[in-house]
Amino acid sequence: MQFTISSTTLNNRLQTLSKVINSKNTLQILDSFLFEITDGELHITASDSENVLQSHLALDAHEGEGTFAVNSQTILNALRELPEQPLQFNINTNMATISIAYQGGEYNFTVQDATDYPKVATMFVNPSVITIDANILSSNINRSIFALGVDDLRPVMTGIYFDLATDSLSIVASDGHKLVRNRNLLVKSDAPASFILPRKPAMLLKNILTKDGGDVVIKFDNRSAEITYAEGKLTCRLIEGRYPNYNSVIPQDNPNQLVIDRKALLSALKRVLPFGSKSSQLIKLSLDAGALEVSSEDIDYSTKAHESILCEYTGRKMSIGFKGSSLTDILSNLESEEVTIELGDPSRAGLIMPSTQPENEDVLTLVMPMLLNE
């Protein structure tokens, strides 16, 4: 069995696939990539048993068809320092050997029996389907993943919630203190459905889809999902359980509204936050017509800082406290030049939204307040 392929193309694809492989696996074969040559294409699979990432590449030339497995670190080390050039692979499955000829040299090492590699289970029970643009999905995941919880006692909060309704698709993440809700008004279904995507496959998609385009098709049931994109497919187990009613925690009546330059507020927070309490990270926002004062204080170490920023504010004069790292995370993951902050009173959650929403989308973030010692 022989084939020829670009060194750069193969290396880039293997680097992406390698992100699914764990440093320690219960099955030794999962330390390897599965290679399959069929119909003039090279299909490569990587897995950690719960998540399976598959990709396909067109071959410049090939002779014969078959499957074999190669240790991931061995082939990644072999390709890492090679400049762009065609590579000639020659595999002898009977002898379990492989040679890779490149300009001026050759690698020789062993391959493993592909029959030991776990088969991908794709049995779905009454699956639902979502079709969404790859760039939109990538943006939604990038915007949401920082808000995921890390408490294993509440596993549903450690994943991204996909809520398909009759009027929109909402992609939600929350750790109980902050929340991100992305609503896509173009994706909808007559039959509502939902699933919770774990952190690891979400991170994999974040890295994959930034280099990709076209549509992503997500097929899912109560237990697993199959996510197909232009260059391959991700199959993963889902988090089972009931996601909290996220809409119920979003305050609807917020008479106090602040419009401010996102980067200016983010920069001020980064300057003031180091002078506040390291444990609470409390930031105080003091709002009045035309101005916002951002301040922090650490009584134990006698440090404090404050900074005033010009803004548009309509509402009553008020002060409200938030966790500084939550504010900086939210502002760092929004993209608009200006943000609108809606507030009810110092005891209610604050809403932070792009002043200009992405086309056909409604992006909203929520952050819970902290008690001010006044």
Side-chain angles (χ1 to χ4, degrees), residues 152-338:
D152 290 336
L153 297 177
R154 296 190 296 172
V156 296
M157 306 291 280
T158 65
I160 296 181
Y161 183 53
F162 285 68
D163 186 12
L164 181 62
T166 55
D167 60 346
S168 63
L169 169 66
S170 295
I171 298 176
V172 182
S174 177
D175 61 2
H177 302 285
K178 54 186 179 289
L179 177 145
V180 180
R181 186 194 68 186
N182 306 276
R183 292 181 65 210
N184 187 301
L185 306 176
L186 294 181
V187 182
K188 57 189 76 173
S189 173
D190 294 334
S194 63
F195 68 91
I196 307 172
L197 184 71
R199 179 189 295 270
K200 184 171 181 177
M203 290 295 295
L204 291 170
L205 287 173
K206 175 184 174 182
N207 294 323
I208 293 167
L209 297 179
T210 52
K211 307 164 188 167
D212 197 16
D215 283 341
V216 176
V217 178
I218 306 172
K219 182 189 294 185
F220 63 96
D221 60 15
N222 294 330
R223 297 178 59 86
S224 59
E226 180 184 274
I227 304 168
T228 305
Y229 54 97
E231 295 178 346
K233 180 169 61 178
L234 170 64
T235 305
C236 62
R237 291 184 187 173
L238 300 175
I239 297 175
E240 297 184 44
R242 186 178 181 85
Y243 203 81
N245 183 0
Y246 58 90
N247 285 315
S248 67
V249 302
I250 300 174
Q252 300 301 315
D253 182 20
N254 307 290
N256 307 295
Q257 189 173 92
L258 167 70
V259 179
I260 192 168
D261 182 276
R262 180 181 66 87
K263 291 182 179 178
L265 177 56
L266 180 60
S267 296
L269 287 168
K270 289 180 177 180
R271 287 188 288 269
V272 170
L273 183 57
F275 293 87
S277 168
K278 300 296 187 295
S279 57
S280 69
Q281 299 185 30
L282 174 63
I283 287 286
K284 177 182 175 182
L285 303 183
S286 301
L287 301 116
D288 203 350
L292 165 69
E293 183 181 85
V294 181
S295 61
S296 67
E297 183 177 11
D298 190 338
I299 297 175
D300 294 337
Y301 291 92
S302 299
T303 60
K304 60 181 178 179
H306 69 90
E307 186 170 328
S308 295
I309 315 170
L310 294 176
C311 65
E312 298 176 25
Y313 178 64
T314 55
R316 67 180 180 88
K317 183 177 180 179
M318 67 180 295
S319 295
I320 187 170
F322 292 111
K323 188 173 183 177
S325 59
S326 294
L327 287 178
T328 56
D329 284 344
I330 287 172
L331 293 171
S332 297
N333 285 280
L334 294 176
E335 299 169 356
S336 62
E337 291 187 9
E338 291 185 330

Side-chain angles (χ1 to χ4, degrees), residues 141-155:
I141 292 174
N142 284 330
R143 200 182 292 130
S144 305
I145 208 161
F146 79 92
L148 290 179
V150 294
D151 186 357
D152 290 336
L153 297 177
R154 296 190 296 172

